[in-house]
Amino acid sequence: MAAVHVTVWDDRDRVGGSRARTASGAPAAAAAPALFIHNIFTWGSDSMYGFAGQRPLADSRRLLLLDRRGYGDSPDTARSDFDIDAEDVVEVLGDGASGVGLGGAHLVGHGNGAVAALIAAARRPDLVRSLALIQPSAFTAAAHHPVVADLLDRVRDGAPGIPDGVTPEQYLRASTEGLGMAMPEPTSRRLRAVATSMGERPVWEAEIPLEAVRGAALPVLVICGTWEHAPAAYREHVGLPLMAVAESLTDSLGGRLLRVPGYYPHTQESAAVNAALREFWG
């Protein structure tokens, strides 16, 4: 059994069982599952920042939504870490109880979850059918880009961290309302996710195994928002570097780049993202 919680969505029986089809016309019963790995402040099935908007995809295949350690229904952790997340992803992929089966699963990662997906795919490419990366936080893979280089310089040169005494609710408010966005309800589940995020190992410490992923010849889809209507500060400090990373990874991995309006592609433009995933998976 995997050390983390995995939510399973499978609606094929509800929509016609073996009569349901994938985008390629193949019977849904034979479709490979998809494993989703979330970003910060959230968990797999969350409607605010997680993958609730991808539930319609369960009409043609099994969806597995992993809660990273310290998030959702997974156990607490002293410090969330992308390398450990990657090991958990590999464990779920190789766990017979998950129903992944021979040939592995399609991986979908958002933000820091995309970093874990990349590392997991490099470690066990035989368990991965494809990689879909939604605004991946793989900054070190695009360190040559001026916007990303500036970001890395700031954080590595001792950019201000989280001051002592700041509560998860205060941090959530500063990270949302402080940037001109709506703050989600500070439920205990949300605040636990925020607290884990506050202590997460910085993704700029991640060594992105681009060569290994390239060598595996996995199909790659990178999905990125256009950010034109995002709050100005959020776009400048977060959006521009993420767009640069998306472009760089697409080039480095020989993937396809999908741009959609907004800055949370899979929640704000779930229909477009879901259609792209259906086509990508075939």
Side-chain angles (χ1 to χ4, degrees), residues 61-247:
R61 70 185 68 240
R62 176 189 293 252
L63 306 185
L64 308 171
L65 294 86
L66 182 149
D67 290 343
R68 297 195 286 127
R69 296 179 189 228
Y71 297 91
D73 292 318
S74 283
D76 290 335
T77 181
R79 191 187 196 197
S80 181
D81 186 307
F82 45 80
D83 276 322
I84 294 174
D85 290 338
E87 283 302 311
D88 289 334
V89 170
V90 168
E91 186 176 358
V92 171
L93 290 172
D95 184 359
S98 70
V100 169
L102 294 175
H106 302 286
L107 282 190
V108 182
H110 172 219
N112 291 13
V115 171
L118 282 161
I119 297 171
R123 291 177 181 174
R124 289 298 305 273
D126 56 306
L127 298 177
V128 179
R129 291 181 179 243
S130 71
L131 268 176
L133 308 170
I134 303 174
Q135 291 191 160
S137 304
F139 298 113
T140 54
H144 60 280
H145 194 288
V147 172
V148 179
D150 287 346
L151 169 67
L152 292 174
D153 285 344
R154 288 198 305 272
V155 296
R156 287 170 174 165
D157 290 345
I162 302 171
D164 292 340
V166 171
T167 67
E169 183 167 354
Q170 291 171 333
Y171 189 70
L172 177 61
R173 189 177 303 280
S175 301
T176 53
E177 291 181 353
L179 294 173
M181 298 178 291
M183 174 180 165
E185 183 181 357
T187 62
S188 59
R189 190 174 181 85
R190 180 74 62 198
L191 294 180
R192 176 176 180 256
V194 174
T196 298
S197 301
M198 290 168 70
E200 192 155 298
R201 183 182 175 192
V203 287
W204 52 84
E205 293 182 3
E207 295 183 12
I208 308 300
L210 293 177
E211 193 169 324
V213 176
R214 269 196 305 268
L218 295 170
V220 175
L221 172 66
V222 182
I223 301 173
C224 187
T226 55
W227 289 80
E228 70 271 25
H229 299 305
Y234 192 40
R235 182 179 190 276
E236 179 181 354
H237 296 295
V238 179
L240 294 180
L242 283 177
M243 287 189 284
V245 170
E247 293 168 0

